[in-house]
Amino acid sequence: MTTAATLAPPARPAERLRTSPPWWMGLIAGIAAFSGSGAATLNGDELATISSASRSLPGMFELARHIDGHFLPYYLFMHLWSKVGTAELWLRLPSAVAIGVTAWFLVELGRRLHSTRAGVIAAAVFAILPSVSYYGAFARSYAFAAAAVVFSFWALHRALDRPTGRRWVLYGVAIALVCSTHLFAVLVLPAHLLPARRAVLMPMLAALAIGCVPAAVLGLIGYGERHAISWIPQRGPEVWLKFPKMAAGSTGLGVLLFAIALAGAALWWTTARRERTWAYVLVAWLVLPPVLLLAVSHLLTPVYVDRYLFVTAPALALLAGLAVACLPRFHVVAAVVVVALGCALAFADHVEIREENGRFENIPWALRVIKAEPDDAIVYGQSQLRNGFDYYADSLMPVDVLRSGDSPDADGFGYPERSDVSAVLDGRERVWVVWRGTKQSGLEGDGIPRVGEVEKAGFELDVAKHSGDLPGLTVALFTRR
């Protein structure tokens, strides 16, 4: 019978810290993430990044006063980055680089906690997650938040291992980065308190307090802008059942890795001596954010959105890596089996997110559906959809009859529009209407007011097509009765 004493113990401190982590694991993870950038078209969130980053600095600060204020640090970065260009691959490249950085720090953190093999296995598991391929090819700040979170846990372990003023300063910087990349990345910070010791409590709390200043500022801004997320429904505890899929990006792989991760935490706790407390830290890193996000939703305002929890994916991978590394023998074989099985379970999900509609808002598809004739008009069910059509349109488009200005609204992503639909459609025989959502959402009831206004102007539905995945896009042709 195998006992705890016969299981693979963590390497001695000198062995763990002697060599540098393999940099190539970060490169592999970054390439894997960037491979999802090619076919999938930009969605509304990514187009909002372009809209924000392309404004002047005063325009960006004005926008931040009304909407997406907590994304301002990322928008400022993308403002500089997009000066080179706004091609899909270029816009998504920073996220892929952030995924590479995340994997590198996973290797380093795994090495500090147990061994280099633990870190390498964790980085390999992280690289194969469909969620990593999704957010690593996504022009938003979620990959940056994951990188900052792993960096913060690495900096914390380093400071606790040998407390010095310089290391606590670096830890404070890491916390500030966590708070600046995404507001809800701060939900991992309670896990930082678990390994604290009385001897280091004061410098640690000081670093945390100073580092959390950006979170306090951005949190106040975000609370004042909560009207912008009024579309988020209230959730119940049932969302936790979907959490493994959210973290991993695949149901089968998520459930498998959660089982391995929890078993690994228990196994590691029985074998580790010096790092035993970190078994609790990593489990808290994994499970506290969804619990706290739901609590915020019920105490303040509904905010539970799956993508806000991508920062837990590195914890899932690290716990799985530690589980394999703690096995008494056959570490390499076990690692290969876990990675290979993970690839097999997640293959369909990887294919899906690399399709043209991999971000569930396929504007190029909509452009192909629209067969414009001279004098055709187009009406957008949501004004901000113009961002995507302006970005992708490269052929004759119907006349945008409602548009009254070339610049987006100063306080949002929509555009100024004329209000009298009947007047602007006078003399038109055909009008295309495009909206975000299903056919039913626009054709039944009053979910899309513009559809009703077009019908009142004397038009009837000729044909309607939906892009397939939800929420997706609907393109409808109306002709005069």
Side-chain angles (χ1 to χ4, degrees):
M1 181 176 179
T2 302
T3 64
T6 65
L7 296 173
R12 295 189 301 273
E15 294 174 347
R16 285 189 284 112
L17 306 180
R18 185 181 300 146
T19 58
S20 298
W23 59 269
W24 42 267
M25 286 306 302
L27 181 62
I28 290 173
I31 292 173
F34 193 60
S35 69
S37 299
T41 58
L42 301 174
N43 74 356
D45 284 342
E46 295 177 287
L47 292 164
T49 295
I50 298 176
S51 177
S52 302
S54 60
R55 305 181 191 212
S56 65
L57 289 178
M60 294 177 67
F61 284 106
E62 177 63 22
L63 177 70
R65 292 180 58 243
H66 301 278
I67 188 173
D68 274 5
H70 61 288
F71 278 117
L72 182 59
Y74 175 71
Y75 287 159
L76 289 171
F77 168 79
M78 292 302 291
H79 175 75
L80 299 176
W81 184 263
S82 63
K83 287 185 179 299
V84 177
T86 56
E88 291 172 344
L89 295 179
W90 181 250
L91 290 170
R92 289 168 169 171
L93 179 59
S95 292
V97 172
I99 289 296
V101 172
T102 306
W104 189 92
F105 274 111
L106 272 179
V107 177
E108 171 69 354
L109 183 55
R111 182 172 66 95
R112 296 187 69 91
L113 293 174
H114 186 280
S115 61
T116 299
R117 69 172 176 268
V120 170
I121 297 169
V125 171
F126 183 70
I128 67 168
L129 298 181
S131 59
V132 168
S133 289
Y134 188 98
Y135 294 108
F138 198 55
R140 298 294 273 180
S141 67
Y142 304 112
F144 285 70
V149 164
V150 181
F151 175 45
S152 71
F153 279 98
W154 171 84
L156 174 62
H157 187 279
R158 188 169 174 266
L160 293 174
D161 189 52
R162 185 160 61 87
T164 64
R166 182 176 299 179
R167 292 190 175 198
W168 286 120
V169 168
L170 182 63
Y171 174 64
V173 170
I175 296 301
L177 287 174
V178 170
C179 299
S180 300
T181 50
H182 194 271
L183 180 60
F184 291 112
V186 302
L187 298 179
V188 305
L189 296 184
H192 284 225
L193 300 175
L194 296 179
R197 305 185 303 270
R198 180 177 299 179
V200 298
L201 191 59
M202 290 307 296
M204 179 181 175
L205 291 179
L208 270 170
I210 295 172
C212 283
V213 169
V217 175
L218 296 176
L220 288 174
I221 293 173
Y223 185 75
E225 298 173 350
R226 59 192 183 279
H227 63 278
I229 56 172
S230 59
W231 56 269
I232 300 177
Q234 187 61 274
R235 307 286 189 180
E238 70 278 357
V239 294
W240 294 334
L241 297 176
K242 300 178 181 179
F243 181 60
K245 178 183 179 181
M246 186 289 308
S250 169
T251 300
L253 179 58
V255 172
L256 172 67
L257 290 180
F258 260 77
I260 294 175
L262 295 179
L267 181 60
W268 184 32
W269 187 86
T270 62
T271 60
R273 296 179 179 86
R274 186 171 180 268
E275 307 293 357
R276 174 175 290 186
T277 304
W278 278 81
Y280 299 115
V281 173
L282 298 189
V283 171
W285 175 4
L286 178 63
V287 302
L288 276 182
V291 173
L292 295 176
L293 188 62
L294 191 62
V296 172
S297 293
H298 284 272
L299 293 175
L300 296 178
T301 187
V303 291
Y304 196 101
V305 178
D306 287 346
R307 59 180 176 269
Y308 296 168
L309 300 171
F310 177 61
V311 293
T312 61
L316 179 63
L318 185 53
L319 280 167
L322 287 164
V324 175
C326 285
L327 294 175
R329 56 180 66 88
F330 305 121
H331 315 102
V332 175
V333 174
V336 170
V337 169
V338 169
V339 173
L341 181 58
C343 289
L345 290 172
F347 180 78
D349 299 282
H350 276 290
V351 171
E352 181 179 355
I353 64 177
R354 286 166 171 79
E355 294 174 346
E356 184 180 67
N357 198 33
R359 302 298 178 269
F360 311 118
E361 196 166 308
N362 194 346
I363 292 174
W365 168 87
L367 288 169
R368 292 194 297 269
V369 171
I370 296 173
K371 307 295 183 182
E373 296 180 1
D375 296 325
D376 278 6
I378 188 169
V379 170
Y380 296 100
Q382 297 93 0
S383 178
Q384 61 268 30
L385 284 175
R386 287 184 179 84
N387 289 318
F389 282 80
D390 287 349
Y391 182 87
Y392 281 108
D394 57 0
S395 59
L396 178 65
M397 281 285 292
V399 180
D400 188 353
V401 291
L402 291 180
R403 188 170 186 163
S404 62
D406 292 331
S407 299
D409 296 328
D411 60 353
F413 301 114
Y415 285 78
E417 291 185 327
R418 299 175 179 89
S419 58
D420 192 343
V421 175
S422 295
V424 298
L425 292 179
D426 186 36
R428 307 279 179 179
E429 295 298 322
R430 300 183 355 140
V431 56
W432 297 89
V433 184
V434 183
W435 64 88
R436 181 183 292 115
T438 63
K439 296 178 187 179
Q440 291 74 19
S441 67
L443 299 176
E444 298 176 2
D446 56 357
I448 308 294
R450 289 299 191 202
V451 175
E453 292 169 4
V454 168
E455 291 175 330
K456 289 179 181 178
F459 291 82
E460 63 182 3
L461 177 67
D462 185 279
V463 63
K465 295 183 179 181
H466 184 258
S467 58
D469 293 311
L470 299 178
L473 294 175
T474 296
V475 178
L477 174 62
F478 288 80
T479 55
R480 189 170 290 279
R481 289 194 290 266

